[in-house]
Amino acid sequence: MGTLPSPGTLRASLPASALSLSRSDDAASARPSSARLDLLRRFDQTFSEAPATTSKDIRDAFRLRYQVYCLDRGFESADACPQGMEQDSYDDQALHCLLRERMTGLSIGTVRLIQPAATPAWFAGLPLADYAPQESMADIMRLPAGTTAEVSRFAITRSAREVLRAADEMRADYDADAAQTVAAEKLLPYMSLGLIRGLVRLSMEHDITHWCLAAEPSLLRRLRSFGLHFTNAGPLVDHRGLRQVCYAELAPLLSRAEEEQPEFWSVITDDGALASADLARNAA
């Protein structure tokens, strides 16, 4: 996975009224729903996330991964992707999501969930099984076969800021009130939350109850700032830099996020629509 923007940056870009989520008295406790809906509205005006189900969508995801992993970050060899699409052997068993800027329709982010076959050795079908230490895999192996998936290829292009700036200019050309709204560029930190929403949506649609991943420690700290807490599995491992193998059960992950960071939870779950009783029942 890539890195997430700081929640502090996100909070600084939003109107103070949208972050007034105090629950110190009855009057204050009546405000969060309205504030969360306002944040959700702003997100949905700027971004759209959806499963990549058509061949064109999936090619767009591969091209974006090429930009991020081969050109922006140099994790993969561009020479190995002569068609400008980064792919691997896990894509055939993966669910893909695309994040787009709504005004231009341009793809700016992608992520995938890899579902190994529900066999006795299902965990061997996870990418992290290629490098995770035995201690880490011992924890991962205890997760439920058939409903555990690995979060992978979490990618946001470096050109996203320019895309959002262009969208603001397009909006200003025909919307006289555009200057009165929060600029799309100021919602840049929400892109990561949009991809997490995509993961939740895919999980709900495909009965996935547990996630596992290998992430940089700094990423996990930022996820915790979003209210998303993962359990470490084993020690740090050196894989293109230090990574922590970790996992989480989705239903309690989202429940805790709602308690700790309701404004972020609202975006991640579409104000609860993706944190339904169905998801909790699947995890039981």
Side-chain angles (χ1 to χ4, degrees):
M1 291 178 69
T3 58
L4 294 177
S6 165
T9 302
L10 173 59
R11 290 173 183 273
S13 71
L14 297 171
S17 61
L19 296 175
S20 300
L21 299 175
S22 171
R23 300 185 179 184
S24 58
D25 53 41
D26 291 342
S29 66
R31 289 196 294 268
S33 178
S34 175
R36 292 200 299 263
L37 287 173
D38 184 56
L39 298 185
L40 181 64
R41 178 182 60 83
R42 294 179 187 279
F43 173 86
D44 287 333
Q45 286 176 341
T46 304
F47 305 110
S48 65
E49 54 76 28
T53 55
T54 69
S55 57
K56 179 185 181 302
D57 286 345
I58 293 174
R59 288 195 301 271
D60 285 347
F62 293 161
R63 291 190 185 99
L64 195 146
R65 280 165 40 180
Y66 173 80
Q67 178 65 43
V68 172
Y69 285 95
C70 298
L71 303 184
D72 291 351
R73 308 192 70 180
F75 283 168
E76 303 291 345
S77 170
D79 294 338
C81 308
Q83 296 181 320
M85 295 189 290
E86 193 278 315
Q87 306 173 64
D88 62 26
S89 60
Y90 295 103
D91 284 315
D92 289 341
Q93 64 195 64
L95 305 168
H96 303 270
C97 175
L98 273 175
L99 181 70
R100 292 184 172 91
E101 193 286 315
R102 189 175 293 277
M103 175 69 68
T104 63
L106 294 175
S107 300
I108 52 178
T110 187
V111 69
R112 68 180 179 181
L113 274 174
I114 297 173
Q115 289 183 293
T119 63
W122 65 271
F123 44 84
L126 300 171
L128 59 79
D130 291 339
Y131 57 85
Q134 185 175 359
E135 183 178 348
S136 298
M137 291 308 300
D139 286 342
I140 299 301
M141 289 163 59
R142 297 188 184 99
L143 301 178
T147 63
T148 296
E150 180 175 343
V151 177
S152 175
R153 290 300 194 262
F154 193 105
I156 293 175
T157 178
R158 287 180 180 172
S159 66
R161 185 179 297 277
E162 287 70 31
V163 172
L164 295 182
R165 186 177 295 123
D168 283 333
E169 293 174 356
M170 291 173 60
R171 188 177 295 106
D173 285 342
Y174 68 85
D175 184 357
D177 296 325
Q180 305 301 317
T181 65
V182 174
E185 186 180 357
K186 290 185 177 296
L187 298 177
L188 188 71
Y190 270 105
M191 292 189 299
S192 297
L193 296 177
L195 286 181
I196 296 170
R197 181 203 279 190
L199 291 171
V200 174
R201 187 184 304 279
L202 288 172
S203 298
M204 190 169 182
E205 291 178 354
H206 295 271
D207 297 327
I208 294 169
T209 62
H210 291 71
W211 292 345
C212 62
L213 63 148
E216 298 172 359
S218 60
L219 169 59
L220 293 179
R221 288 193 294 271
R222 290 183 179 181
L223 287 172
R224 287 194 293 271
S225 295
F226 288 137
L228 299 169
H229 296 263
F230 289 79
T231 300
N232 291 346
L236 289 169
V237 58
D238 190 356
H239 178 68
R240 296 171 177 165
L242 291 179
R243 298 284 189 274
Q244 177 65 62
V245 178
C246 56
Y247 61 92
E249 183 179 0
L250 191 51
L253 179 79
L254 296 178
S255 179
R256 183 170 178 180
E258 182 183 14
E259 293 178 0
E260 294 186 3
Q261 300 288 0
E263 66 273 32
F264 299 142
W265 173 89
S266 179
V267 175
I268 291 168
T269 67
D270 196 5
D271 207 47
L274 301 180
S276 70
D278 288 338
L279 184 61
R281 183 173 62 253
N282 289 338

